[in-house]
Amino acid sequence: MRQTIPFLAVRWAALLIGVLQLPAAPARAQRLIQKVETVPAGEQWLSPGDALQVRLTGTPGGRAAFLGGRPLTELAPALAAGRRGVYQGTYIVQPTDTLGGATGRPLWLHLRLPDGRRDSLPTPAAVRLLSPNQPLLAVTRTTLAHLNYGLGDDRLGGAKLGYLDSLVVLHVVGRVGGQYRVRLAEGHYAWLPLERARLLPPGGFVPASLTGSWSVQGDSLADYVRVPLSQRLPYRSQMLENPTRLVIDVFGATSNTNWITQRPGLRALGAVYYEQPQADIFRLVLPLRHRQSWGYHLGYEQNTLVVRVARPPARLQLRGLRVALDAGHGGSNVGAVGASGAREKDLTLAIVRQLQQELERRGATVVLTRTGDEGPDMAQRVALLQRQRPALLVSVHVNSAGSAAARGTSAFYRYVAFRPLAAALYGQMQQTGLPGWGLVGNFNFALNGPTDYPNALVETAFISNPEDEKILTDPARQQQMARRMADGIHDFLKSGRAKGVRGWLGRQPAEQ
Ligand SMILES: [Zn+2]
């Protein structure tokens, strides 16, 4: 049972009037408040049920308040990194609260000392409360709009839940700084960078659709699943193992799929079906016939969700294989620089050129993301690769660490289904005599993000280590590394051949 606490009933408007009645704030020198902030910092949009958290740093021993007298609690120094005078407060937004209308406004925090002195300061950024009665909608602006799990960040960006096509409609229920919080389905939320979406005019409904009946078919290049919807809804996809399958959740979708027509010509897809794990999540389950997933592309044709499933190459050999190579950095993006002045962008291009020659010598066709000292950005590289539809991608970089002690070779992948390619490259790179630094999964690198083809990143060696730098700058060693990477791709293909029915071309147990 909920208790009624009088100050909770205070309306935000009344509080703003209270602020206007305060005496003029003391001059800067006499300030009792050093800093006020929302936690997390930055402009915030909140919906009913969300927690508004504030922090005030100022003179200890006072009474701090916000929202018309709602108290903040002064933290014990042990909870505030030894500091006194840090006050924190939380307020759960109620459906009837309003603040600052459509744009929001800064939030005032107040501090009063026992001797009667007082001070007030607004938060640096605005706080806006969203009305559940007028859903705020946005559409994605690019074909590589990514959803983040949370507000985390590092040099590669926050951890990503996945990528969306353009013009996907999303329900915005909040914002912190540069990201919208979107509600995907009951209990499912994600974050979307502001620049990846455009807000729609008011009046729309929360995105939802019934699903139509599927068409499942193959053409000369790939297998396809098509699911008609009434609008472009957000989705999340995963490649799962044992048995190998794609699982795609469409948020806001409810089944009216009454048949799944499977036409002739399918070569990658097994017995596809769907589940409805909750009322507003429609799940496609797409078992694959082969143990190794060769990737898939997810997007819309009008309002029909299309899953294009790649097939294994006709022959598991380098001859005839279309291989994409990416030389890291380029142009004004120099990358890491060694003690000798060697630059990553030059080394990656030199090694990739050697690798290209080696692969072409073995009969492969090579696609490059750059052929000289150009610096295409990640989105341009991904767009080019998705257009070129290679069988697989290897991105080549040079590692660098704060300590000169770190050395050795490493390989990176994002999806566990693509681990075998990274592992094969890593194994061969160690045959050059470089020590193994590690095999890294779930790597949040832009070129490991696409699901279209197996991909791996090779951090050849550490330019920040003198011994490794000598190897990286030696043309003979560059050629050796290139040969070993070609061997790695060969091993990746061969392991599929060697295992017979258990190999990648072999049928899954359920298919035998
Ligand atoms: Zn790099």
Side-chain angles (χ1 to χ4, degrees), residues 161 214 225 235-251 269 271-277 281-288 293 296 298 305 307 309 415 417 451:
L161 185 144
W214 303 6
V225 176
Y235 45 77
R236 172 183 63 190
S237 67
Q238 284 179 285
M239 281 178 275
L240 300 177
E241 313 244 288
N242 301 316
T244 310
R245 62 205 189 279
L246 308 180
V247 176
I248 299 158
D249 287 341
V250 186
F251 298 106
L269 286 166
V272 300
Y273 61 99
Y274 72 84
E275 296 169 350
Q276 185 85 49
I281 298 182
F282 181 80
R283 175 170 296 164
L284 291 75
V285 184
L286 311 180
L288 300 179
S293 166
Y296 63 99
L298 206 45
L305 180 70
V307 193
V309 183
Y415 308 108
T451 57

Coordinates of all heavy atoms in Angstrom, one line a residue, residues 161 214 225 235-251 269 271-277 281-288 293 296 298 305 307 309 415 417 451:
L161 N 23.6 -3.0 -29.0 CA 22.6 -4.1 -29.0 C 22.4 -4.6 -30.4 O 22.0 -5.7 -30.7 CB 21.3 -3.6 -28.4 CG 20.1 -4.5 -28.2 CD1 19.4 -4.0 -26.9 CD2 19.1 -4.4 -29.4
W214 N 4.6 -15.4 -44.1 CA 6.0 -15.3 -44.6 C 6.1 -15.9 -46.0 O 5.5 -16.9 -46.3 CB 7.0 -16.1 -43.8 CG 7.1 -15.8 -42.3 CD1 6.3 -14.9 -41.6 CD2 8.0 -16.3 -41.4 NE1 6.7 -14.9 -40.3 CE2 7.7 -15.7 -40.1 CE3 9.1 -17.2 -41.5 CZ2 8.5 -16.1 -39.0 CZ3 9.8 -17.5 -40.4 CH2 9.5 -17.0 -39.1
V225 N 14.0 -14.6 -46.1 CA 12.7 -14.7 -45.4 C 12.1 -13.3 -45.4 O 12.8 -12.4 -45.1 CB 12.9 -15.1 -43.9 CG1 11.6 -15.1 -43.2 CG2 13.6 -16.5 -43.9
Y235 N 14.1 -4.2 -34.3 CA 14.4 -5.6 -34.1 C 15.8 -5.8 -33.5 O 16.6 -4.9 -33.4 CB 14.3 -6.3 -35.5 CG 15.1 -5.6 -36.6 CD1 16.5 -5.6 -36.7 CD2 14.4 -4.8 -37.5 CE1 17.2 -5.0 -37.6 CE2 15.1 -4.1 -38.5 CZ 16.5 -4.2 -38.6 OH 17.1 -3.5 -39.5
R236 N 16.0 -7.0 -33.1 CA 17.3 -7.4 -32.5 C 17.6 -8.8 -33.1 O 16.7 -9.6 -33.1 CB 17.2 -7.5 -31.0 CG 18.4 -8.0 -30.3 CD 18.2 -8.1 -28.8 NE 17.1 -9.0 -28.5 CZ 16.6 -9.1 -27.3 NH1 17.0 -8.3 -26.3 NH2 15.6 -9.9 -27.0
S237 N 18.8 -9.1 -33.4 CA 19.1 -10.4 -34.0 C 20.3 -11.1 -33.3 O 21.2 -10.4 -32.8 CB 19.3 -10.4 -35.5 OG 20.5 -9.7 -35.8
Q238 N 20.3 -12.4 -33.3 CA 21.5 -13.1 -32.8 C 21.8 -14.3 -33.7 O 20.9 -14.9 -34.2 CB 21.1 -13.7 -31.4 CG 21.1 -12.6 -30.3 CD 20.7 -13.3 -29.0 OE1 19.5 -13.6 -28.8 NE2 21.7 -13.6 -28.1
M239 N 23.1 -14.7 -33.7 CA 23.5 -15.9 -34.4 C 23.8 -16.9 -33.2 O 24.7 -16.6 -32.4 CB 24.8 -15.7 -35.2 CG 24.5 -15.1 -36.5 SD 26.1 -14.9 -37.4 CE 26.6 -13.3 -36.7
L240 N 23.0 -18.0 -33.1 CA 23.2 -18.9 -32.0 C 23.8 -20.2 -32.5 O 23.7 -20.6 -33.7 CB 21.9 -19.1 -31.3 CG 21.3 -17.9 -30.6 CD1 20.0 -18.2 -30.0 CD2 22.2 -17.3 -29.6
E241 N 24.4 -21.0 -31.6 CA 25.1 -22.2 -32.0 C 24.4 -23.4 -31.4 O 23.7 -23.3 -30.4 CB 26.6 -22.2 -31.5 CG 27.2 -20.8 -31.8 CD 28.4 -21.0 -32.8 OE1 29.4 -21.5 -32.3 OE2 28.3 -20.6 -33.9
N242 N 24.8 -24.6 -32.0 CA 24.3 -25.9 -31.4 C 22.8 -26.0 -31.1 O 22.5 -26.0 -30.0 CB 25.1 -26.2 -30.1 CG 26.6 -26.3 -30.4 OD1 27.0 -26.9 -31.4 ND2 27.4 -25.7 -29.6
P243 N 22.0 -26.0 -32.1 CA 22.3 -26.0 -33.5 C 22.4 -24.5 -34.0 O 21.9 -23.6 -33.4 CB 21.1 -26.6 -34.1 CG 19.9 -26.4 -33.2 CD 20.6 -26.3 -31.8
T244 N 23.1 -24.4 -35.1 CA 23.4 -23.0 -35.7 C 22.0 -22.5 -36.1 O 21.3 -23.1 -36.9 CB 24.3 -23.2 -36.9 OG1 25.4 -23.9 -36.5 CG2 24.7 -21.8 -37.3
R245 N 21.7 -21.3 -35.7 CA 20.4 -20.7 -36.1 C 20.5 -19.2 -35.9 O 21.3 -18.7 -35.1 CB 19.3 -21.3 -35.3 CG 19.4 -21.0 -33.8 CD 18.6 -22.1 -33.0 NE 18.5 -21.8 -31.6 CZ 19.4 -22.0 -30.7 NH1 20.6 -22.5 -31.0 NH2 19.2 -21.7 -29.4
L246 N 19.6 -18.5 -36.6 CA 19.4 -17.1 -36.4 C 18.1 -16.9 -35.6 O 17.1 -17.5 -35.9 CB 19.3 -16.3 -37.8 CG 20.4 -16.6 -38.8 CD1 20.1 -15.8 -40.1 CD2 21.7 -16.2 -38.2
V247 N 18.2 -16.0 -34.6 CA 17.0 -15.7 -33.9 C 16.8 -14.2 -33.9 O 17.7 -13.4 -33.6 CB 17.1 -16.2 -32.4 CG1 15.9 -15.7 -31.6 CG2 17.3 -17.7 -32.4
I248 N 15.6 -13.8 -34.5 CA 15.4 -12.3 -34.7 C 14.1 -12.0 -33.9 O 13.0 -12.5 -34.2 CB 15.2 -12.1 -36.2 CG1 16.5 -12.4 -36.9 CG2 14.8 -10.6 -36.4 CD1 16.3 -12.7 -38.4
D249 N 14.2 -11.0 -33.0 CA 13.0 -10.5 -32.3 C 12.6 -9.2 -32.9 O 13.4 -8.3 -33.1 CB 13.4 -10.2 -30.8 CG 13.6 -11.5 -30.0 OD1 13.1 -12.5 -30.5 OD2 14.2 -11.4 -28.9
V250 N 11.3 -9.2 -33.3 CA 10.7 -7.9 -33.8 C 9.8 -7.3 -32.7 O 8.9 -8.0 -32.2 CB 9.9 -8.2 -35.1 CG1 9.4 -6.9 -35.7 CG2 10.7 -9.0 -36.1
F251 N 10.2 -6.1 -32.3 CA 9.5 -5.5 -31.2 C 8.3 -4.8 -31.6 O 8.3 -4.0 -32.6 CB 10.5 -4.5 -30.5 CG 11.7 -5.2 -29.9 CD1 12.9 -5.1 -30.5 CD2 11.6 -6.0 -28.8 CE1 14.1 -5.7 -30.0 CE2 12.7 -6.7 -28.2 CZ 13.9 -6.5 -28.9
L269 N 18.8 -22.2 -45.4 CA 17.8 -22.2 -44.3 C 17.2 -23.6 -44.1 O 17.0 -24.3 -45.1 CB 16.6 -21.3 -44.7 CG 16.9 -19.8 -44.5 CD1 15.8 -18.9 -45.2 CD2 17.0 -19.4 -43.0
A271 N 14.4 -25.7 -41.2 CA 12.9 -25.6 -40.9 C 12.6 -24.4 -40.1 O 12.7 -24.4 -38.9 CB 12.5 -26.9 -40.2
V272 N 12.2 -23.3 -40.7 CA 12.0 -22.0 -40.0 C 10.6 -22.0 -39.3 O 9.7 -22.7 -39.8 CB 12.1 -20.8 -41.0 CG1 13.5 -20.8 -41.7 CG2 11.0 -20.9 -42.1
Y273 N 10.5 -21.3 -38.3 CA 9.3 -21.1 -37.5 C 9.3 -19.9 -36.7 O 10.3 -19.2 -36.7 CB 9.0 -22.4 -36.7 CG 10.0 -22.6 -35.6 CD1 9.8 -22.2 -34.3 CD2 11.2 -23.3 -35.9 CE1 10.7 -22.5 -33.3 CE2 12.2 -23.5 -34.9 CZ 11.9 -23.1 -33.6 OH 12.8 -23.3 -32.6
Y274 N 8.2 -19.6 -36.0 CA 8.2 -18.4 -35.1 C 7.7 -18.8 -33.8 O 7.0 -19.8 -33.5 CB 7.4 -17.3 -35.8 CG 5.9 -17.5 -35.7 CD1 5.1 -17.1 -34.6 CD2 5.2 -17.9 -36.9 CE1 3.8 -17.3 -34.6 CE2 3.9 -18.1 -36.9 CZ 3.1 -17.8 -35.7 OH 1.8 -18.0 -35.7
E275 N 8.0 -17.9 -32.8 CA 7.4 -17.9 -31.5 C 6.9 -16.5 -31.1 O 7.3 -15.5 -31.7 CB 8.6 -18.3 -30.5 CG 9.1 -19.7 -30.7 CD 10.4 -19.9 -29.8 OE1 10.9 -18.9 -29.3 OE2 10.9 -21.0 -29.8
Q276 N 6.1 -16.5 -30.1 CA 5.6 -15.2 -29.6 C 5.9 -15.2 -28.1 O 5.1 -15.5 -27.3 CB 4.1 -15.0 -29.9 CG 3.5 -13.6 -29.5 CD 3.7 -12.6 -30.6 OE1 3.4 -12.8 -31.7 NE2 4.1 -11.4 -30.2
P277 N 7.2 -14.9 -27.7 CA 7.5 -15.0 -26.3 C 6.8 -14.1 -25.4 O 6.6 -14.3 -24.2 CB 9.0 -14.8 -26.3 CG 9.4 -14.1 -27.6 CD 8.3 -14.5 -28.5
I281 N 6.4 -9.1 -28.6 CA 7.7 -9.6 -29.3 C 7.4 -10.8 -30.1 O 7.0 -11.8 -29.7 CB 8.8 -9.9 -28.2 CG1 9.1 -8.7 -27.4 CG2 10.0 -10.4 -28.9 CD1 10.2 -8.9 -26.4
F282 N 7.7 -10.6 -31.4 CA 7.5 -11.7 -32.4 C 8.9 -12.2 -32.7 O 9.8 -11.4 -33.1 CB 6.8 -11.1 -33.7 CG 6.6 -12.2 -34.7 CD1 5.5 -13.0 -34.6 CD2 7.4 -12.3 -35.8 CE1 5.3 -13.9 -35.6 CE2 7.2 -13.2 -36.8 CZ 6.1 -14.0 -36.7
R283 N 9.1 -13.5 -32.6 CA 10.5 -14.1 -32.7 C 10.6 -15.0 -33.9 O 9.8 -16.0 -34.0 CB 10.9 -14.8 -31.5 CG 12.2 -15.6 -31.5 CD 12.6 -16.1 -30.2 NE 12.9 -14.9 -29.3 CZ 13.0 -15.0 -28.0 NH1 12.8 -16.2 -27.4 NH2 13.2 -14.0 -27.2
L284 N 11.4 -14.7 -34.9 CA 11.7 -15.6 -36.0 C 12.8 -16.5 -35.6 O 13.9 -16.1 -35.1 CB 12.2 -14.8 -37.2 CG 11.3 -13.9 -38.0 CD1 11.0 -12.6 -37.3 CD2 11.9 -13.6 -39.4
V285 N 12.6 -17.8 -35.7 CA 13.7 -18.8 -35.5 C 14.1 -19.4 -36.8 O 13.2 -20.1 -37.4 CB 13.2 -19.8 -34.4 CG1 14.4 -20.8 -34.1 CG2 12.7 -19.2 -33.2
L286 N 15.3 -19.2 -37.2 CA 15.7 -19.6 -38.6 C 16.9 -20.6 -38.4 O 18.1 -20.2 -38.4 CB 16.1 -18.4 -39.4 CG 15.1 -17.2 -39.4 CD1 15.7 -16.1 -40.3 CD2 13.8 -17.7 -39.9
P287 N 16.6 -21.9 -38.3 CA 17.8 -22.9 -38.2 C 18.5 -22.9 -39.6 O 17.9 -22.7 -40.6 CB 17.0 -24.2 -38.0 CG 15.7 -23.9 -37.5 CD 15.3 -22.5 -38.2
L288 N 19.8 -23.0 -39.5 CA 20.7 -23.0 -40.7 C 21.1 -24.5 -40.9 O 21.2 -25.3 -40.0 CB 21.9 -22.2 -40.5 CG 21.6 -20.7 -40.2 CD1 22.9 -19.9 -40.1 CD2 20.8 -20.1 -41.4
S293 N 27.8 -20.3 -39.8 CA 27.0 -19.3 -40.4 C 27.9 -18.4 -41.3 O 28.9 -17.9 -40.9 CB 26.4 -18.4 -39.3 OG 25.8 -17.2 -39.9
Y296 N 24.3 -12.9 -42.5 CA 22.9 -12.5 -42.9 C 22.8 -11.0 -42.9 O 23.6 -10.3 -42.2 CB 21.9 -13.2 -42.0 CG 22.0 -12.7 -40.6 CD1 21.1 -11.7 -40.1 CD2 22.9 -13.2 -39.7 CE1 21.2 -11.2 -38.8 CE2 23.0 -12.7 -38.4 CZ 22.2 -11.8 -38.0 OH 22.3 -11.3 -36.7
L298 N 19.8 -7.9 -42.5 CA 18.5 -7.7 -42.0 C 18.1 -6.3 -42.4 O 18.9 -5.3 -42.2 CB 18.6 -7.8 -40.5 CG 17.4 -8.1 -39.7 CD1 16.6 -9.3 -40.2 CD2 17.8 -8.5 -38.2
L305 N 9.9 -6.9 -43.6 CA 11.2 -7.2 -43.0 C 11.8 -8.4 -43.8 O 11.2 -9.4 -44.1 CB 11.1 -7.7 -41.5 CG 12.4 -8.1 -40.8 CD1 13.2 -6.8 -40.6 CD2 12.1 -8.8 -39.5
V307 N 15.1 -10.9 -44.3 CA 16.3 -11.5 -43.8 C 17.0 -12.2 -45.0 O 16.4 -13.1 -45.6 CB 16.1 -12.6 -42.7 CG1 17.4 -12.9 -42.1 CG2 15.0 -12.1 -41.8
V309 N 19.9 -14.5 -46.1 CA 20.8 -15.4 -45.4 C 21.9 -15.8 -46.4 O 21.6 -16.4 -47.5 CB 20.1 -16.6 -44.9 CG1 21.0 -17.5 -44.1 CG2 18.9 -16.1 -44.0
Y415 N 31.0 -11.6 -33.0 CA 30.0 -12.6 -32.8 C 30.7 -14.0 -32.7 O 31.6 -14.3 -33.5 CB 29.0 -12.6 -34.0 CG 28.4 -11.2 -34.3 CD1 28.8 -10.5 -35.4 CD2 27.5 -10.7 -33.4 CE1 28.3 -9.2 -35.6 CE2 27.0 -9.4 -33.6 CZ 27.4 -8.7 -34.7 OH 26.9 -7.4 -34.9
A417 N 29.8 -16.7 -33.6 CA 29.7 -17.5 -34.8 C 30.9 -17.2 -35.8 O 31.2 -18.1 -36.6 CB 28.4 -17.2 -35.5
T451 N 26.8 -8.2 -39.7 CA 26.6 -9.6 -39.7 C 26.6 -10.3 -41.0 O 26.4 -11.5 -41.2 CB 25.2 -9.9 -39.0 OG1 24.2 -9.2 -39.8 CG2 25.1 -9.4 -37.6

